[in-house]
Amino acid sequence: MTLEIVLITGMSGSGKSVALNALEDAGYYCVDNLPPELLGAFVALEHEHHGNRVAIAMDVRSASSLPQLPQQLQKLRAQGIPVQSLFLDASTDTLVRRFSETRRRHPLSNEDSPLGRGALVQIIERERELLAPLREQAHVIDTSTLRTAQLQSYVKSLMAVPPSALLLVFQSFAFKRGIPLDADYVFDVRMLPNPFYEPELRELTGLDAPVIEFLREHDDVARMQEHITQFLDHWLDALASGQRSYVTVAIGCTGGQHRSVYLVEQLAKTFSTRWKVLRRHRELDGAK
């Protein structure tokens, strides 16, 4: 049976432990903080002893050997071993707040005492530079606004999709809560008619039939859907042939409740006939 590997990397404080725990619950054999230089030997050993699904977390704690990792991943894939790479990210403000709340020491810090905000921000930006090559090759999950259960759900849904073809993720979001860091493309639909201003629709979402009917009645909504569809139709083949494994398309409106949710659902239906598709509703998922 072919060994499947999930590699989890990302920013310190972004939730890598939560993601690793989610995979362990899903039946993966999990290892945290494996030195990159041991990856090849570890994979060979696990192929013999631990079944067919392994999850490995690596991060900036192995900063000196991280540059070796992209080449090692390429070797594994050349051997026919599927590797899914997840990169967990979060805004700098979010990471600073998390370190402040937990009073944890950043792994790139040489001091045992808590850092001031300015010094911590500099260290976080340095970490971004060190991890940039890994981020470029991975599916990115922005955890800035995600609850623990939400992140666990996202990770498990990704693992349910075979890694052999391009995965297209449609995500709705609210501009008032920030643009997702994991978005490859962002479309702003705030100029479209807003069901929020219809009293009978205000508490509903883009998943509800009355909101769907309201938006379908407006030509501008259909035109926006058509334009996004045309854009993606034109470029997805090129992205897939360029060895991209994941593309995240974020659709944003004011509250992330009506228009963006509706369009994500419609676009997901359209593209699921050809591509592997996942749909996420950042604000609705977070409300569960």
Side-chain angles (χ1 to χ4, degrees), residues 180-247:
L181 297 176
D182 49 9
D184 296 295
Y185 298 102
V186 176
F187 294 94
D188 184 351
V189 300
R190 286 175 291 184
M191 74 293 292
L192 299 179
N194 192 352
F196 178 83
Y197 296 110
E198 302 295 326
E200 68 277 13
L201 303 179
R202 180 170 298 176
E203 301 302 321
L204 302 180
T205 77
L207 302 175
D208 295 313
V211 174
I212 293 172
E213 293 173 7
F214 172 87
L215 291 171
R216 281 179 174 169
E217 291 175 355
H218 291 83
D219 292 340
D220 283 347
V221 176
R223 191 172 297 112
M224 175 66 77
Q225 181 179 335
E226 180 183 1
H227 288 171
I228 296 173
T229 299
Q230 290 174 346
F231 175 85
L232 294 175
D233 273 338
H234 184 83
W235 291 109
L236 283 178
D237 282 325
L239 287 167
S241 63
Q243 307 304 312
R244 284 293 298 272
S245 298
Y246 312 95
V247 175

Side-chain angles (χ1 to χ4, degrees), residues 106-228:
H106 193 285
L108 291 181
S109 171
N110 294 320
E111 302 175 4
D112 291 330
S113 58
L115 294 170
R117 177 182 172 82
L120 183 54
V121 168
Q122 290 181 352
I123 288 175
I124 290 172
E125 294 310 315
R126 172 57 178 157
E127 183 180 22
R128 289 194 191 282
E129 294 176 5
L130 291 171
L131 296 178
L134 297 177
R135 191 184 195 279
E136 292 175 358
Q137 298 184 22
H139 176 72
V140 181
I141 300 178
D142 178 7
T143 70
S144 301
T145 63
L146 300 187
R147 297 178 297 108
T148 296
Q150 201 174 351
L151 174 56
Q152 291 174 332
S153 175
Y154 283 6
V155 170
K156 290 177 181 179
S157 68
L158 284 170
M159 294 308 101
V161 178
S164 58
L166 181 75
L167 172 64
L168 187 57
V169 180
F170 288 101
Q171 178 174 218
S172 66
F173 72 95
F175 272 97
K176 66 182 182 181
R177 298 187 67 202
I179 297 174
L181 297 176
D182 49 9
D184 296 295
Y185 298 102
V186 176
F187 294 94
D188 184 351
V189 300
R190 286 175 291 184
M191 74 293 292
L192 299 179
N194 192 352
F196 178 83
Y197 296 110
E198 302 295 326
E200 68 277 13
L201 303 179
R202 180 170 298 176
E203 301 302 321
L204 302 180
T205 77
L207 302 175
D208 295 313
V211 174
I212 293 172
E213 293 173 7
F214 172 87
L215 291 171
R216 281 179 174 169
E217 291 175 355
H218 291 83
D219 292 340
D220 283 347
V221 176
R223 191 172 297 112
M224 175 66 77
Q225 181 179 335
E226 180 183 1
H227 288 171
I228 296 173

Side-chain angles (χ1 to χ4, degrees), residues 242-258:
Q243 307 304 312
R244 284 293 298 272
S245 298
Y246 312 95
V247 175
T248 298
V249 180
I251 312 292
C253 61
T254 305
Q257 178 181 340
H258 298 107

Side-chain angles (χ1 to χ4, degrees), residues 1-159:
M1 189 173 292
T2 302
L3 180 67
E4 296 179 7
I5 299 174
V6 179
L7 175 66
I8 300 176
T9 61
M11 300 295 293
S12 302
S14 62
K16 295 186 298 297
S17 296
V18 172
L20 201 63
N21 289 338
L23 292 176
E24 188 170 31
D25 290 343
Y28 284 77
Y29 178 75
C30 297
V31 178
D32 189 17
N33 197 25
L34 181 74
E37 58 266 33
L38 298 181
L39 178 60
F42 175 80
V43 168
L45 181 64
E46 294 310 307
H47 206 331
E48 298 178 7
H49 296 290
H50 284 291
N52 66 318
R53 299 200 297 176
V54 177
I56 303 168
M58 296 182 186
D59 54 40
V60 78
R61 288 173 289 181
S62 302
S64 61
S65 52
L66 276 178
Q68 304 175 21
L69 189 52
Q71 184 177 3
Q72 292 183 357
L73 294 176
Q74 186 176 0
K75 286 182 179 179
L76 290 176
R77 291 179 176 123
Q79 295 169 15
I81 300 176
V83 181
Q84 289 181 276
S85 296
L86 302 183
F87 188 100
L88 304 190
D89 204 349
S91 68
T92 297
D93 285 344
T94 298
L95 295 174
V96 169
R97 187 186 73 248
R98 290 175 181 173
F99 274 103
S100 299
E101 290 174 349
T102 61
R103 301 186 68 82
R104 289 173 50 205
R105 183 169 64 89
H106 193 285
L108 291 181
S109 171
N110 294 320
E111 302 175 4
D112 291 330
S113 58
L115 294 170
R117 177 182 172 82
L120 183 54
V121 168
Q122 290 181 352
I123 288 175
I124 290 172
E125 294 310 315
R126 172 57 178 157
E127 183 180 22
R128 289 194 191 282
E129 294 176 5
L130 291 171
L131 296 178
L134 297 177
R135 191 184 195 279
E136 292 175 358
Q137 298 184 22
H139 176 72
V140 181
I141 300 178
D142 178 7
T143 70
S144 301
T145 63
L146 300 187
R147 297 178 297 108
T148 296
Q150 201 174 351
L151 174 56
Q152 291 174 332
S153 175
Y154 283 6
V155 170
K156 290 177 181 179
S157 68
L158 284 170
M159 294 308 101

